[in-house]
């Protein structure tokens, strides 16, 4: 049975945050299963921030992306520890692994969930709109023999052939508008609000996506470091629109791009917000 988890992330033996995993079922996948959560202690691997293919004994390898932009293709890779494929994971936000494929200029972003084969290879469908150098980041929590877990984001790059021109998504798409309530401060654990409205500035009726009301991922322009921002509670409607609180801690000052994914009227929207911290 698949269950949500509340994973207490530890770094150097100190509890530093609480990751909310689970929540309500997705709007298109109602479930009558118990909503009870299982608390699992997960250790965050130092340096596993998506900028390296190896950390803590884990390795992302055998990366393959579609050969040509604009054509339906496949993504595949392996996650290993030592010489063995990692096959036992702790579910976070309804998935065993979250995979982000982002071009090096942060103008193309894809969030996909491949399947794990019996041979230990993760694979799935992927179409990329333009050529260039892409980085795949795999975010996961691997289950350890003692029943605990180790959390990591590993990244590797590959080139995709084809024209580089692309329509860059913005902070609005004709149906949904996203903005940050305030600019986050570097190096500080904090809650900030993501404001979502329709084109007339009114609140929106959010469904759930991956068990939560929004999925937010940020990338540093300077280092490529990935920041997975975690929702705090449900949506609140007000005069400025629909507000979602998120936990964020940018590692340092600089330029970032936030990708906000939210479901409105059954459709998942992906919006892009450049932010200078």
């Amino acid at each position: 049975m698949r269950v949500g988890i509340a994973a207490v992330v530890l770094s150097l033996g100190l509890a530093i945050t609480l990751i909310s995993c689970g929540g309500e079922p997705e709007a298109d996948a109602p479930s009558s299963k118990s909503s009870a959560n299982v608390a699992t202690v997960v250790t965050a691997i130092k340096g596993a921030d998506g900028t390296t293919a190896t950390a803590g004994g884990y390795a992302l390898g055998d990366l393959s992306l579609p050969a040509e932009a604009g054509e339906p293709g496949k993504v595949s890779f392996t996650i290993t520890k030592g010489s063995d494929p990692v096959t036992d994971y702790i579910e976070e936000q309804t998935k065993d692994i979250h995979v982000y494929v982002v071009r090096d200029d942060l103008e193309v972003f894809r969030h996909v969930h491949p399947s794990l084969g019996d041979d230990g290879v993760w694979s799935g469908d992927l179409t990329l709109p333009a050529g260039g150098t892409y980085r795949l980041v795999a975010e996961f929590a691997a289950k350890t023999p003692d029943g605990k877990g180790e959390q990591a984001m590993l990244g590797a790059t590959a080139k995709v052939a084809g024209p580089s021109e692309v329509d860059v998504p913005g902070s609005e798409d004709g149906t949904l508008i996203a903005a940050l309530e305030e600019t986050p401060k570097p190096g500080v654990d904090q809650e900030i609000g993501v404001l979502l409205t329709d084109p007339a500035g009114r609140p929106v009726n959010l469904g759930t996506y991956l068990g939560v009301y929004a999925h937010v991922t940020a990338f540093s322009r300077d280092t490529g470091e990935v920041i997975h921002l975690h929702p705090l509670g449900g949506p609140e409607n007000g005069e400025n629109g629909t507000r979602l609180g998120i936990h964020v801690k940018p590692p340092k000052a600089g330029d970032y791009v936030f990708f906000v994914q939210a479901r409105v009227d059954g459709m998942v929207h992906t919006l892009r917000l450049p932010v200078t911290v």
Side-chain angles (χ1 to χ4, degrees):
M1 181 178 69
R2 296 175 70 89
V3 295
I5 66 169
V8 181
V9 179
L10 305 181
S11 178
L12 301 178
L14 299 176
I16 58 172
T17 188
L18 180 68
I19 299 178
S20 297
C21 309
E24 295 187 11
E26 294 187 29
D28 59 355
S31 172
S32 60
K33 293 180 182 180
S34 169
S35 61
N37 283 346
V38 179
T40 303
V41 175
V42 178
T43 302
I45 297 174
K46 185 176 181 180
D49 58 8
T51 61
T52 178
T54 60
Y58 293 91
L60 188 159
D62 301 318
L63 173 61
S64 177
L65 293 179
E68 187 79 22
E71 299 291 336
K74 295 286 185 179
V75 56
S76 64
F77 59 93
T78 58
I79 301 292
T80 56
K81 188 169 187 181
S83 58
D84 299 322
V86 177
T87 59
D88 201 2
Y89 294 84
I90 298 171
E91 185 181 278
E92 181 180 350
Q93 291 187 356
T94 76
K95 301 295 181 182
D96 286 341
I97 197 166
H98 292 265
V99 173
Y100 314 111
V101 181
V102 60
R103 201 166 70 173
D104 57 1
D105 59 4
L106 302 184
E107 292 188 349
V108 179
F109 170 83
R110 294 292 185 269
H111 178 185
V112 296
H113 302 101
S115 299
L116 180 61
D118 294 337
D119 57 359
V121 176
W122 289 95
S123 62
D125 296 330
L126 179 65
T127 301
L128 295 171
T133 299
Y134 285 83
R135 182 157 51 100
L136 179 145
V137 176
E139 180 182 21
F140 61 89
K143 191 173 291 184
T144 54
D146 59 3
K148 299 178 182 179
E150 294 177 319
Q151 187 180 52
M153 288 188 288
L154 302 180
T157 61
K159 291 185 180 296
V160 174
S164 61
E165 293 79 13
V166 66
D167 291 330
V168 181
S171 60
E172 56 182 289
D173 63 4
T175 300
L176 187 65
I177 300 172
L180 297 185
E181 191 175 47
E182 60 183 292
T183 301
K185 300 176 179 63
V188 177
D189 278 303
Q190 62 211 277
E191 176 185 345
I192 64 170
V194 175
L195 299 175
L196 300 169
T197 70
D198 69 9
R202 297 171 299 203
V204 293
N205 183 24
L206 291 177
T208 54
Y209 173 57
L210 300 174
V212 291
Y213 284 102
H215 190 283
V216 186
T217 309
F219 296 82
S220 166
R221 283 192 181 277
D222 300 325
T223 66
E225 184 173 352
V226 186
I227 309 171
H228 187 171
L229 302 98
H230 303 289
L232 301 172
E236 300 174 351
N237 291 336
E239 61 180 16
N240 293 322
T242 299
R243 181 188 186 276
L244 282 171
I246 58 171
H247 167 265
V248 59
K249 183 182 179 181
K252 62 180 182 179
D255 293 328
Y256 295 80
V257 175
F258 286 59
F259 292 95
V260 178
Q261 296 181 284
R263 187 192 299 272
V264 176
D265 297 329
M267 180 176 291
V268 175
H269 300 257
T270 300
L271 302 176
R272 179 180 181 273
L273 284 70
V275 177
T276 298
V277 173

